[in-house]
Amino acid sequence: MTSPSGSTPTEAQAFLDAHPEIEAFDIVLTDANGVGRGKIVRRHELKSIFEGGRHMPISILGLDITGEDVHETGLIWDSGDGDLRAWPIPGTLVPLYGTKPPRGQLLMAMYHLDGQPMSSDPRLALARQVGILAAKGLYPAGAFELEFFLLANERDADGKVQPARAVLDGRVSGKTEVYSVDHLHGMEPLFSDIYAAAKAQGIPAETVISEYAPGQYELTLNYRKDVMRAADDLVMLKRLVRAQARRHGVTACFMAKPIEKYAGSGMHFHVSLQDKGGRNVFAEAAGESWSLPLLRGLGGLIQTMAESMLVFAPHANSWRRFVSQSYAPVAPSWGVNNRSVALRVPAGDAKNRRIEHRPSGVDANPYLIAATVLAGIVKGLDEGLDPGPETTGNGYEAAVTRTTMPADWRAAIEAAKASSFLKGALGEDLHRTFVAIKQSEYLRVARTVSELDYHLYLHEV
């Protein structure tokens, strides 16, 4: 059967010829929560996966964050939990650095048995939005930023997570050493392995910085002309950072807000649109303040932000990140060279003009982020939407009344459930799947009696 993803057995054979040492492969399908699910297969099985795909149960796309079935998705017993066929994503067959015995990795996407796209697959939802733009003669380019914490494997005396000791010499730092180069040196062996792993996988990992909390770091990725590959980069980078951290005896944490008194971790998404000639349509012409496509794209993102927040902040912990003056946006605002707004237009050469979308936490699914952002931009372009006045100065103090943002996770779930825009952005099936998973997870959290409950109320009420 011809692969509907565009993969070919030639890619598999060339890889096997180039890497005779590799004995097995992780085949990874990304679910609605961004969790990689799949199998480890032996070397001799790889070529057959490229020739005929690999059967996987439909329920793999209907799981909650813990891996439990969510029956309300309609992907479990409604379909008899039958098999669909996963196919390789071209260009994602890569070696895994430092594995013993040596292994490789392959990202997969889910299709029906007849080769039609499985509409609850997050990557294929992004592909659909890319196709909508291509029909208009527009091609999205972009890159994600990865913020994360490196934590000790052991909790502190109060049972809280704590920053990891430097892997170089065991030094402990409880300070916010933002932009400290010397602080980075303590994690040099780990970051050297991260860069080596990224190079082996063709991931354009670039600058690393010490971020705005003890134990917090950021890795940037080079801009891709193909936004699908930009999202693949982020999925692959998270996997390799987690794996390399584990090998160095620390935990890479991608929770949005792991430490209550410090800033959380975002997944900023930089995006622009190119025409058929490769020209950036967001770039302003000489004598023009801002291009009309840029302003309309901003207008679409502002108008749709509130109903899209479940995609950008999908978990209970995600909502702890949205605190004033914590570098996480709290209103649907835009501004130029301003990190207190949700949609930042970075300063610089007009040919590189882009939108930096800042609401998403690092716990979100990059495929869903990109699909929703592109759909918002399309809406702005199609409807000629105005973003309103630019926010200058402190965006946390600016009054933004055009759109009411959800106050919490439950409100975000209700907004997403009622959103016709989000249903169109994700597709009806994935919208149903995603909202059902989030509702199930909300109920799990809501019925849990925590230690904080006992602390506040056990002897007081």
Side-chain angles (χ1 to χ4, degrees):
M1 181 176 180
T2 301
S3 169
S5 70
S7 60
T8 65
T10 303
E11 180 182 358
Q13 189 60 58
F15 186 91
L16 292 171
D17 291 344
H19 296 279
E21 77 285 1
I22 289 182
E23 298 182 13
F25 296 86
D26 297 1
I27 60 172
V28 183
L29 184 77
T30 303
D31 73 6
N33 274 315
V35 176
R37 304 193 186 275
K39 308 177 181 182
I40 297 178
V41 301
R42 305 301 295 170
R43 177 184 177 91
H44 69 269
E45 298 178 82
L46 181 70
K47 196 168 180 184
S48 68
I49 293 173
F50 277 79
E51 292 170 341
R54 184 69 178 238
H55 283 167
M56 288 190 182
I58 190 173
S59 59
I60 203 170
L61 293 174
L63 305 176
D64 69 9
I65 192 67
T66 69
E68 295 283 349
D69 290 340
V70 179
H71 298 280
E72 293 79 4
T73 62
L75 301 180
I76 317 299
W77 300 124
D78 289 12
S79 60
D81 194 18
D83 281 344
L84 299 184
R85 187 173 280 141
W87 287 91
I89 297 170
T92 65
L93 178 58
V94 294
L96 290 174
Y97 179 82
T99 51
K100 295 180 182 180
R103 296 202 322 277
Q105 176 180 277
L106 177 64
L107 299 189
M108 310 285 283
M110 192 77 94
Y111 293 81
H112 290 284
L113 298 180
D114 64 0
Q116 292 301 306
M118 200 287 169
S119 49
S120 285
D121 185 307
R123 191 179 190 274
L124 298 181
L126 173 56
R128 191 169 64 86
Q129 290 299 326
V130 170
I132 289 171
L133 280 163
K136 299 175 182 292
L138 296 171
Y139 306 89
F144 289 88
E145 297 174 7
L146 182 69
E147 295 179 358
F148 59 96
F149 280 80
L150 293 175
L151 302 177
N153 292 338
E154 308 79 24
R155 304 287 181 91
D156 66 15
D158 296 321
K160 303 286 188 179
V161 298
Q162 57 183 332
R165 292 174 177 268
V167 298
L168 181 66
D169 56 12
R171 175 191 165 197
V172 179
S173 174
K175 298 179 290 186
T176 301
E177 302 194 67
V178 64
Y179 281 92
S180 169
V181 177
D182 289 345
H183 177 65
L184 292 175
H185 292 170
M187 292 295 179
E188 184 178 31
L190 170 54
F191 281 111
S192 292
D193 281 348
I194 287 172
Y195 280 125
K199 182 178 180 181
Q201 295 187 16
I203 301 171
E206 294 193 327
T207 305
V208 59
I209 66 170
S210 177
E211 259 289 357
Y212 201 62
Q216 189 184 35
Y217 301 87
E218 179 186 272
L219 271 170
T220 62
L221 288 159
N222 195 18
Y223 217 67
R224 291 276 200 185
K225 290 185 178 181
D226 179 357
V227 77
M228 299 286 292
R229 289 316 309 263
D232 292 338
D233 285 342
L234 199 284
V235 168
M236 295 167 72
L237 185 61
K238 283 182 73 172
R239 286 183 57 79
L240 74 84
V241 167
R242 182 180 282 117
Q244 296 305 321
R246 191 174 183 181
R247 289 191 173 88
H248 282 271
V250 300
T251 296
C253 175
F254 300 107
M255 290 173 63
K257 182 79 166 178
I259 302 176
E260 59 194 41
K261 62 183 179 180
Y262 293 111
S265 295
M267 190 196 293
H268 302 162
F269 176 41
H270 295 251
V271 61
S272 60
L273 298 178
Q274 296 182 333
D275 63 18
K276 291 180 179 179
R279 183 184 69 87
N280 182 358
V281 302
F282 284 172
E284 63 272 15
E288 187 179 33
S289 55
W290 302 110
S291 75
L292 197 57
L294 175 70
L295 292 175
R296 287 178 172 173
L298 288 167
L301 293 174
I302 285 173
Q303 186 176 111
T304 60
M305 189 175 296
E307 57 198 297
S308 304
M309 282 303 298
L310 187 62
V311 169
F312 310 143
H315 306 293
N317 179 260
S318 309
W319 291 83
R320 306 192 194 286
R321 175 172 161 262
F322 296 107
V323 180
S324 179
Q325 301 184 45
S326 65
Y327 289 94
V330 294
S333 54
W334 76 280
V336 180
N337 197 23
N338 187 335
R339 288 183 170 85
S340 67
V341 298
L343 303 170
R344 175 176 175 254
V345 179
D349 195 320
K351 69 181 181 181
N352 298 322
R353 192 68 66 221
R354 64 192 186 274
I355 297 170
E356 180 187 2
H357 184 272
R358 296 174 59 83
S360 299
V362 75
D363 56 341
N365 183 327
Y367 297 125
L368 299 188
I369 293 171
T372 305
V373 167
L374 293 182
I377 291 172
V378 168
K379 181 178 176 68
L381 294 174
D382 287 349
E383 299 179 16
L385 298 179
D386 181 355
E390 173 193 347
T391 296
T392 58
N394 188 347
Y396 293 109
E397 295 179 350
V400 179
T401 58
R402 297 181 63 192
T403 307
T404 301
M405 297 284 279
D408 54 26
W409 191 29
R410 180 178 179 180
I413 292 171
E414 293 303 316
K417 184 177 181 180
S419 172
S420 58
F421 163 76
L422 198 59
K423 186 177 291 186
L426 303 182
E428 187 172 345
D429 291 338
L430 181 53
H431 177 266
R432 181 193 65 249
T433 298
F434 183 63
V435 171
I437 289 170
K438 295 297 112 182
Q439 287 179 315
S440 175
E441 291 173 353
Y442 171 80
L443 292 174
R444 178 190 289 256
V445 172
R447 68 174 175 255
T448 300
V449 181
S450 69
E451 283 298 321
L452 181 60
D453 286 284
Y454 296 126
H455 175 71
L456 291 176
Y457 310 121
L458 180 60
H459 298 295
E460 309 300 333
V461 297

